[in-house]
Amino acid sequence: MLRIGLTGGMGAGKSTVARILADLGAVIVDSDLIAREVVAPGTEGLAALVDAFGAEILAADGSLDRPALAAKAFADDESRATLNSITHPLVGKRTTELISAAPSDAIVVQDIPLLVENGLAPLMNLVIVVDVDAETRLRRLVEFRGVAESDARARIAAQATDEQRRAVADVLLDNSGAPAAIEGTVRQLWRERLVPFEHNLRTRTPARRTTEIRVEPANPDWAAQAQRLIARLWVACGAGASRIDHIGSTSVPDLPAKDVIDLQITVADLAAADGLRDALGAAGFPVRPEITQDNPRPTPQDPAGIDVSLWTKRFHNNADPGRLANVHVRVDGSPGQEFALLFRDWLRADADARAEYVEVKRAAEAKAAGLTGAAATIAYLDVKEPWFTAVYPRMLAWRDS
Ligand code: ADP
């Protein structure tokens, strides 16, 4: 099951996007709807609210009188906490029920207006943010949904900012154009990314590059993309990891690179790495069991650079075809783990090293031209690996200085 978080400011068009996704076959779990359901007449939720706040919160027909409840529950922090202690567990329980009832191959879309405010992004396989500037949202709310302008302004001001929402967006859907425009974008997203992502997740299939290797201009968004993946990896690893880092070329600002995010999970030992295998697979980062080591290099511990066991690691990819990633799981203090961090820090610090590395990348790219798959990777690494080995002493000298 693929779990998608859908959010956006009030009036951005979440419901509109949710309807399109539902038409395409997604299972929609609507948190506003659930929040209403759990306090509908006859529910234990409504009874608990009456116990806590009195029968004055009921309308004449026995349903919840929301303004009356708000007057009491938002009067002070303690009342607000009481309200939340009643409704939040019920909403959580119902949400879990609905998600567990979905088929195992479902694409579940959770429509959560307060996803950012409640820090839920790392629990999702992917977050879609519907993005429209606040003034347009306001106009739509007033025009199409009949909300009073002052009310809409106050509610928009109380929510997360557009910037905060964009920071968690794996997919940013611009809904400032005509409704038909977003429909086309959502259909394409469904077909090209969500459906294959769900398939890959369920079958533990790593998403791989299918085209030639291309060294691309640095993308200023790589750092944020890596942080979103790292937040998910932490949820999967918990105490099984001691640190998780963005490494490799995409972690060095302004460095051209292949559009693949490299991440490193540091673990205590190989048993811990193997212990994370299933949790990472379930979180959308399936293992590549055939990859078990880095190329050995000469190190102070092993000057000949022949002890393969020092360089053992585990390797996973992202299942999301829209965001290729390599996840290296390495043992704390092993030469490969230290090399990755040192290489990144050295490149970040040394402009000459960066320039030299770009030259090597260009040569490697040329060597791999016309090839795809494993053959391309081998040709590419054939050029890069000797350079890594050659610069290792320089990196160590830089560290020691
Ligand atoms: P949300 O669920 O994010 O609060 P809605 O999906 O209800 O927002 O959209 C707010 C209003 O704007 C609705 O009346 C909807 O029909 C309208 N709307 C949505 N997308 C567009 C668009 N691209 N152009 C014009 N109006 C839109």
Side-chain angles (χ1 to χ4, degrees):
M1 171 186 307
L2 186 69
R3 267 180 89 177
I4 309 277
L6 174 65
T7 194
M10 187 188 175
K14 287 179 298 301
S15 316
T16 309
V17 170
R19 265 195 301 279
I20 302 168
L21 288 166
D23 278 349
L24 289 165
V27 174
I28 308 296
V29 176
D30 180 333
S31 63
D32 275 351
L33 192 66
I34 294 172
R36 285 195 296 275
E37 265 177 25
V38 298
V39 293
T43 57
E44 58 165 313
L46 188 56
L49 288 180
V50 170
D51 274 352
F53 296 105
E56 307 93 274
I57 63 163
L58 293 177
D61 64 358
S63 67
L64 180 62
D65 178 344
R66 285 173 184 278
L69 173 66
K72 291 191 166 238
F74 298 137
D76 54 73
D77 287 347
E78 199 186 327
S79 305
R80 187 191 291 262
T82 303
L83 171 65
N84 289 342
S85 74
I86 293 169
T87 56
H88 284 186
L90 294 170
V91 169
K93 183 165 163 258
R94 184 70 186 134
T95 304
T96 309
E97 272 170 18
L98 289 172
I99 293 174
S100 346
S104 60
D105 63 351
I107 296 177
V108 174
V109 174
Q110 291 183 248
D111 179 343
I112 312 180
L114 300 184
L115 179 134
V116 172
E117 291 81 347
N118 292 327
L120 299 173
L123 303 181
M124 306 292 162
N125 297 116
L126 193 84
V127 171
I128 300 176
V129 172
V130 188
D131 191 44
V132 182
D133 68 85
E135 278 306 308
T136 308
R137 270 158 42 211
L138 192 84
R139 221 176 42 241
R140 286 181 188 167
L141 287 171
V142 172
E143 235 172 80
F144 303 125
R145 290 210 333 220
V147 181
E149 179 170 340
S150 56
D151 192 17
R153 263 189 209 287
R155 287 162 73 175
I156 287 175
Q159 293 190 341
T161 63
D162 291 348
E163 271 319 298
Q164 288 169 322
R165 251 183 244 104
R166 285 178 197 140
V168 306
D170 298 290
V171 176
L172 195 65
L173 289 177
D174 176 10
N175 188 27
S176 51
I182 195 144
E183 166 135 18
T185 310
V186 172
R187 285 179 176 278
Q188 185 179 8
L189 174 71
W190 175 265
R191 194 174 58 239
E192 293 179 4
R193 186 161 182 182
L194 305 188
V195 169
F197 189 177
E198 184 286 318
H199 177 268
N200 288 348
L201 173 65
R202 180 165 35 89
T203 57
R204 303 287 188 265
T205 306
R208 311 268 299 271
R209 182 174 39 76
T210 52
T211 51
E212 280 185 47
I213 290 181
R214 269 189 38 227
V215 176
E216 302 187 12
N219 178 348
D221 197 38
W222 277 333
Q225 293 176 11
Q227 289 313 313
R228 289 193 283 274
L229 296 180
I230 287 174
R232 292 188 179 112
L233 291 172
W234 272 119
V235 172
C237 295
S242 57
R243 56 186 290 177
I244 307 180
D245 294 277
H246 184 196
I247 57 165
S249 295
T250 58
S251 70
V252 180
D254 302 327
L255 189 66
K258 298 195 294 288
D259 187 15
V260 181
I261 303 267
D262 280 276
L263 302 165
Q264 174 167 276
I265 300 176
T266 298
V267 292
D269 49 36
L270 276 180
D274 290 329
L276 292 176
R277 179 184 172 128
D278 291 341
L280 287 171
F285 299 93
V287 72
R288 290 272 299 283
E290 74 280 16
I291 297 177
T292 57
Q293 64 173 82
D294 291 306
N295 280 340
R297 308 174 204 296
T299 68
Q301 305 100 300
D302 175 27
I306 48 174
D307 185 354
V308 173
S309 70
L310 289 173
W311 299 83
T312 306
K313 68 170 176 182
R314 299 293 180 253
F315 186 80
H316 297 244
N317 282 124
N318 197 356
D320 177 4
R323 175 60 278 158
L324 299 186
N326 297 329
V327 181
H328 311 259
V329 188
R330 297 192 176 107
V331 173
D332 200 5
S334 68
Q337 187 258 357
E338 290 184 343
F339 184 95
L341 295 174
L342 179 58
F343 184 57
R344 175 195 70 188
D345 294 343
W346 176 62
L347 286 175
R348 282 179 177 173
D350 188 332
D352 291 339
R354 288 198 295 277
E356 204 177 310
Y357 188 29
V358 171
E359 292 296 309
V360 174
K361 281 165 175 281
R362 295 285 175 219
E365 181 187 34
K367 185 86 180 293
L371 303 172
T372 56
T377 305
I378 290 168
Y380 189 81
L381 290 178
D382 259 2
V383 177
K384 267 185 21 175
E385 281 294 325
W387 185 74
F388 287 152
T389 302
V391 296
Y392 198 17
R394 272 165 66 192
M395 286 162 51
L396 291 172
W398 171 79
R399 182 188 65 186
D400 296 340
S401 74

